[in-house]
């Protein structure tokens, strides 16, 4: 969203650009999604060739990528037969080195044009063949002694596709089209959108100058300045929009007020709390209490590492709702988790006289009818469940707080439905399963209020993580046996990327048989859990593991989130290279929940990609979910991080959430200050900004309802 939509000429269909026409336009649309002049301008070059830089041939090494050389053609010949037929010319420069220029196509034409003894400038990608540097199909132009050594500008290189190249729309032609388009445009087509005082303070170059320099920079420095300007602009505009949405919510979305801390909360806190809350838990509770007392609707994201103790915070918040005569509900993404939460909550509540129920897809019709009735008349105070809760038939008397656990499994539309369950929308607390890097959270969820629990309960033993190859599997099995004999339990996880994938399923079955061979019945018992099983069988197997009737759990990632079996001390992950970092971390979080020392063993084949082995290294090096999340972002980029794909806020052209942290923080700081001083952007100095924001297409729906 660099250029806004207000300008007519920029909205012209691309076929109207001279040199394009209907057929090429079709290809541009299909291949590069270039529909308008604006789209072409926004097709930024991915790099520039420095035409001022000439590399002496003798200094070229295999490490060089693209080079430009200049020298005399000393020889040319056509060699080879049929497909191997090629034109080879030798170019010698002042350094005394020689490079081969090779053509496989257009041989007669090039052969005729190439004059032995003349001086040329050649540019292209170097490769080495038997220690000889070569450029195939170089860009070549005569370089007469009378001409200046080289043109002094950076030539843009645009990405194109094979199809486009075949139709004469390669990178060079795109450059020509872009250049001719710029001739039709002027400063007024790219009005400045940033306030003058910000431009001045940050020493940014003006917008028009920047857009020109992104394509045709007069110098490397100028290019960098253009890049900087857009990094700031993109982050700043995004932060400003998020800030405006947040302000609007705070101003207009009225919330119910939990004005008092009552008996439920106080009694629970004094008599039922099984442990001292961590500092982070206390802080987050304070933040929540402030929100729910403010009169505006709370819309808060709670981030905390696996095991940081989000559940108890959620429960305390729900008690606060009940204390104020409101109902509260908590949604989990799966049946297993909902049930686990419910059991956990019941246990914590003990004899506290509070009507808590569970509602899931498995709830029997008769029971369900009863629950719906008591929800509607207000008898049920606290409801735990799955997405069954959000069905339209479920009506609350006065829902005051909705908590969504393990946020990324829940669609935005589903959350939106929760809003509508009460005349005044309930307070929302969204809890993430795994941490998201701060920069990502700022952009993807920047319109939400945001709490972090960056502290684990005390006395947690760090989990020891090791990486083993498949060839060491029998040692791993021996290790498990040893732990099981000590009374512990173990998980062995197989990847099932797509629950329907036959091959993965077969792997799981083979793995299961293999484990059985090491752990024969009746000495040992094994549970197996996967997505293809009927729900009741899955539940039974899960339950048997929880009650320690089975010692080993062979499973797919259906057990990924939240499952709590404190006696389990070993987590083995098969084909660990197939999992992403956050998933590995989440799986590892299934152990280390009790007092026993726990282990995570990552098993992979011997051949690993660089990224794969990087992931294993990080897992072995740290237990810190926030560090892992940062690394994940670095390795994979924001678009691949679970839960953020849908978020339009991440579509930056130049700025990168992974690499431009400083710019993002600066942009956020300044956006916050602008909105503090001028929340409506009504001051004259913010007029250009306001105009620009108005021209951007509609707000992204996700941000309003997260
Ligand atoms: P998560 O944040 O992953 O949802 P849970 O809420 O499941 O974490 O808590 C993990 C474990 O830590 C639970 O067994 C819980 O009882 C325990 N726990 C939570 N808070 C504390 C605390 N302040 N002190 C000791 N143990 C705690
Ligand atoms: Mg949890």
């Amino acid at each position: 969203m660099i250029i806004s939509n207000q300008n007519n000429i920029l909205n012209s269909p691309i076929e109207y650009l001279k040199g394009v026409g209907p057929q090429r336009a079709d290809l541009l649309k299909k291949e590069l999604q270039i529909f308008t002049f604006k789209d072409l301008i926004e097709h930024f070059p991915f790099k520039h060739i420095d035409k001022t830089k000439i590399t002496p041939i003798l200094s070229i090494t295999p490490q060089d990528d693209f080079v430009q050389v200049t020298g005399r053609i000393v020889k040319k010949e056509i060699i080879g037969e049929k497909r191997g037929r090629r034109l080879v010319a030798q170019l010698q420069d002042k350094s005394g080195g020689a490079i081969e220029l090779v053509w496989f196509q257009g041989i007669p034409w090039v052969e005729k044009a190439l004059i032995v003894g003349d001086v040329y400038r050649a540019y292209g990608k170097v490769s080495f063949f038997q220690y000889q540097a070569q450029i195939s199909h170089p860009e070549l132009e005569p370089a007469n002694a009378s001409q200046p050594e080289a043109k002094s500008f950076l030539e843009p290189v645009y990405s194109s596709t094979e199809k486009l190249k075949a139709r004469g729309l390669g990178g060079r032609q795109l450059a020509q089209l872009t250049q001719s388009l710029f001739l039709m445009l002027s400063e007024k087509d790219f009005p400045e959108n940033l306030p003058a005082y910000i431009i001045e303070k940050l020493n940014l170059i003006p917008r028009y100058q920047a857009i020109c320099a992104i394509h045709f920079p007069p110098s490397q420095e100028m290019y960098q300045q253009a890049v900087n300007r857009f990094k700031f602009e993109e982050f700043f505009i995004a932060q400003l929009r998020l800030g405006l949405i947040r302000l609007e919510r705070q101003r207009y979305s009225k919330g119910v007020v939990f004005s008092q801390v009552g008996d439920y909360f106080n009694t629970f806190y004094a008599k039922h709390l099984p442990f001292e809350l961590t500092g982070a838990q206390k802080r987050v509770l304070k933040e929540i209490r402030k929100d729910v007392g403010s009169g505006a609707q709370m819309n808060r994201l709670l981030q905390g590492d696996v095991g940081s103790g989000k559940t108890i915070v959620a429960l305390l918040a729900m008690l606060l709702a009940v204390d104020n005569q409101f109902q509260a509900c908590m949604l989990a993404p799966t049946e297993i988790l909902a049930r686990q939460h419910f059991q956990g909550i019941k246990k914590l509540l003990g004899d506290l006289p509070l009507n808590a129920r569970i509602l899931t897809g498995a709830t029997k019709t008769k029971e369900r009818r009863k629950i719906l009735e008591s929800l509607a008349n207000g008898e049920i105070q606290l409801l735990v469940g799955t997405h069954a809760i959000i069905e339209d038939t479920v009506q609350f008397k006065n829902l005051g707080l909705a908590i969504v656990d393990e946020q990324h499994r829940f669609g935005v539309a589903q959350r939106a439905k929760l809003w509508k369950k009460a005349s005044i929308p309930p307070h929302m607390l969204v809890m993430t399963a795994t941490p998201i890097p701060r920069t990502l959270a700022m952009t993807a969820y920047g319109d939400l209020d945001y709490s972090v629990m960056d502290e684990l309960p005390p006395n947690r033993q760090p989990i020891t993580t090791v990486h083993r190859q498949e060839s060491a599997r029998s040692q791993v099995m021996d290790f498990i046996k040893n732990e099981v004999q000590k009374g512990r339990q173990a998980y062995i996880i197989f990847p099932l990327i797509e629950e329907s994938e036959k091959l993965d399923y077969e792997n799981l079955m083979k793995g299961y048989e293999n484990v059985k061979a090491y752990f024969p019945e009746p000495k040992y018992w094994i549970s197996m859990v996967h997505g293809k099983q009927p729900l009741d069988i899955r539940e039974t197997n899960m339950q048997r593991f929880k009650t320690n009737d089975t010692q080993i759990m062979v499973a797919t990632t259906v057990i990924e989130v939240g499952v709590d079996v404190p006696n389990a001390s070993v987590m083995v992950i098969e084909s660990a290279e197939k999992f992403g970092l956050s998933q590995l971390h989440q799986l590892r979080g299934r152990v280390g929940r009790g007092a026993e020392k726990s282990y995570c063993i990552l098993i992979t084949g011997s051949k690993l990609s660089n990224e794969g082995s990087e992931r294993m290294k990080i897992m072995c090096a740290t237990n810190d979910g926030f560090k892992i999340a940062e690394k994940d972002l670095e390795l994979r980029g924001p678009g691949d991080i679970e839960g953020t794909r849908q978020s339009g806020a991440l579509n930056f052209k130049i700025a990168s959430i992974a690499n431009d942290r400083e710019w993002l923080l600066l942009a956020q700081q300044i956006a916050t200050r602008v909105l503090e001083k001028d929340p409506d952007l009504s001051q004259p100095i913010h007029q250009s900004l306001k105009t620009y924001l108005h021209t951007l297409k509609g707000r992204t729906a996700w941000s309003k309802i997260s």
Side-chain angles (χ1 to χ4, degrees), residues 273-279 281 302 304-313 340-341 348 405-406 431-433 453 456-460 562-564 566 586 589-590 592-594:
L273 204 58
F275 36 64
E276 170 89 6
L277 293 184
T278 64
Q281 284 170 322
L302 171 55
D305 207 345
V306 197
S308 60
K310 295 184 285 290
T311 317
I312 197 89
V313 172
Q340 195 172 279
H341 272 316
L348 283 167
D405 193 18
E406 319 295 6
M431 308 199 290
T432 60
M453 297 220 302
L456 292 182
N459 308 326
R460 279 284 158 79
V563 170
D564 194 16
Q586 189 62 43
R590 297 310 102 218
R593 302 173 87 78

Side-chain angles (χ1 to χ4, degrees), residues 172 223 265 287 342-343 379-380 421-422 510 524 628:
R172 293 207 109 183
Y223 178 71
F265 189 98
E287 286 164 352
F342 184 64
Q343 283 154 3
E379 276 167 29
I380 293 181
K421 294 244 174 252
K510 263 209 309 247
Y524 306 95
I628 288 171

Side-chain angles (χ1 to χ4, degrees), residues 110-238:
V110 181
E111 208 268 341
K112 213 166 118 200
L114 202 62
I115 298 161
V116 172
D118 273 12
V119 175
Y120 292 86
R121 189 160 41 236
Y123 173 85
K125 196 174 163 77
V126 212
S127 56
F128 274 76
F129 185 67
Q130 290 170 351
Y131 304 109
Q132 172 64 57
Q134 300 189 330
I135 302 176
S136 356
H137 290 265
E139 282 179 28
L140 199 68
E141 51 191 2
N144 301 329
S146 60
Q147 271 181 348
E149 259 295 285
K151 285 183 222 159
S152 61
F153 70 91
L154 295 159
E155 201 174 281
V157 185
Y158 296 90
S159 61
S160 184
T161 65
E162 288 308 318
K163 269 196 188 147
L164 282 169
K165 279 180 200 158
R167 291 291 192 86
L169 282 176
R172 293 207 109 183
Q173 286 82 12
L174 286 175
Q176 280 159 9
L177 287 180
T178 308
Q179 197 160 26
S180 69
L181 176 52
F182 263 109
L183 292 177
M184 302 160 62
L185 302 169
S186 69
E187 195 161 351
K188 72 169 176 23
D189 298 309
F190 305 94
E192 185 54 69
N193 55 1
L194 298 179
Y197 71 94
I198 292 179
I199 297 219
E200 198 174 323
K201 180 149 191 267
L202 300 184
N203 210 0
L204 300 174
I205 60 172
R207 193 147 202 275
Y208 176 58
Q209 206 176 337
I211 197 92
C212 294
I214 277 283
H215 290 276
F216 303 103
S219 67
Q220 193 59 48
E221 293 69 44
M222 202 59 183
Y223 178 71
Q224 197 49 52
Q225 288 201 37
V227 166
N228 286 348
R229 157 151 187 142
F230 284 122
K231 280 182 181 174
F232 176 79
E233 180 185 315
E234 285 192 295
F235 281 146
F236 177 71
I237 295 293

Side-chain angles (χ1 to χ4, degrees), residues 32 130 236 251 313 341 354 437 479 488 497 580 647:
L32 296 174
Q130 290 170 351
F236 177 71
R251 255 194 259 175
V313 172
H341 272 316
L354 189 139
F479 181 78
R488 310 284 116 72
I497 309 304
S647 137

Side-chain angles (χ1 to χ4, degrees), residues 210-354:
I211 197 92
C212 294
I214 277 283
H215 290 276
F216 303 103
S219 67
Q220 193 59 48
E221 293 69 44
M222 202 59 183
Y223 178 71
Q224 197 49 52
Q225 288 201 37
V227 166
N228 286 348
R229 157 151 187 142
F230 284 122
K231 280 182 181 174
F232 176 79
E233 180 185 315
E234 285 192 295
F235 281 146
F236 177 71
I237 295 293
Q239 290 299 313
L240 208 59
R241 293 175 90 190
L242 290 165
L244 283 167
I245 293 170
R246 185 159 51 190
L247 275 180
E248 189 181 85
R249 176 165 53 72
Q250 283 165 3
R251 255 194 259 175
Y252 301 113
S253 71
K254 239 178 92 189
V256 293
V257 180
F258 299 172
S259 54
Q260 57 168 341
V261 182
D263 283 349
Y264 282 112
F265 189 98
N266 285 331
T267 310
F268 183 83
Y269 207 95
K271 302 215 176 102
H272 295 250
L273 204 58
F275 36 64
E276 170 89 6
L277 293 184
T278 64
Q281 284 170 322
K282 286 182 189 160
R283 193 186 62 234
V284 171
L285 261 177
K286 239 184 234 156
E287 286 164 352
I288 292 171
R289 276 177 57 179
K290 190 163 161 243
D291 282 1
V292 297
S294 74
Q297 185 217 16
M298 170 171 81
N299 218 346
R300 186 169 281 279
L301 179 74
L302 171 55
Q303 278 220 65
D305 207 345
V306 197
S308 60
K310 295 184 285 290
T311 317
I312 197 89
V313 172
L315 177 59
L316 282 162
M318 291 197 285
L319 292 181
L320 209 56
V322 174
D323 268 339
N324 288 275
Q325 286 74 50
F326 285 99
Q327 293 166 298
C329 71
M330 178 163 177
L331 279 80
T334 66
E335 181 91 24
I336 294 178
L337 283 176
R339 212 166 295 170
Q340 195 172 279
H341 272 316
F342 184 64
Q343 283 154 3
I345 284 172
K346 286 292 266 190
K347 204 166 133 199
L348 283 167
L349 290 174
D351 59 0
L352 213 63
L354 189 139

